[in-house]
Amino acid sequence: MKRLSVLAVGVFMAISLAAAANAAPTGVPGKATPQKGVKNARKAMQGKIERDKKVNEARKRGQAMKRQAQGGN
């Protein structure tokens, strides 16, 4: 009877260990992957920054052309 209870406890411990191992997250510990919303927000912000740079360059070219047309002052 004692053997049967020891065997039952051993099987129970093995099953619980296997369940814990399967439930554990995979990947490098301490390195969390960014969520999809954060990733999309970064892409959107990067696009806005690029657009702002292009607009500023176009504005500077326009101002330079305007100064040149006015006599180069």
Side-chain angles (χ1 to χ4, degrees):
M1 190 67 169
K2 191 173 185 180
R3 275 189 185 165
L4 186 60
S5 63
V6 170
L7 182 65
V9 169
V11 170
F12 177 74
M13 289 178 67
I15 290 172
S16 63
L17 180 65
N22 286 335
T26 58
V28 179
K31 182 182 177 192
T33 56
Q35 293 177 347
K36 197 171 189 177
V38 173
K39 199 181 279 189
N40 288 340
R42 284 184 184 161
K43 285 182 183 179
M45 187 57 78
Q46 189 66 32
K48 288 179 183 179
I49 291 171
E50 292 294 325
R51 183 182 174 277
D52 287 344
K53 285 180 186 178
K54 288 179 183 178
V55 167
N56 286 336
E57 289 174 8
R59 184 178 295 128
K60 286 179 184 178
R61 278 184 297 206
Q63 289 174 351
M65 289 173 67
K66 188 176 180 180
R67 273 189 250 119
Q68 192 175 25
Q70 289 177 348
N73 291 355

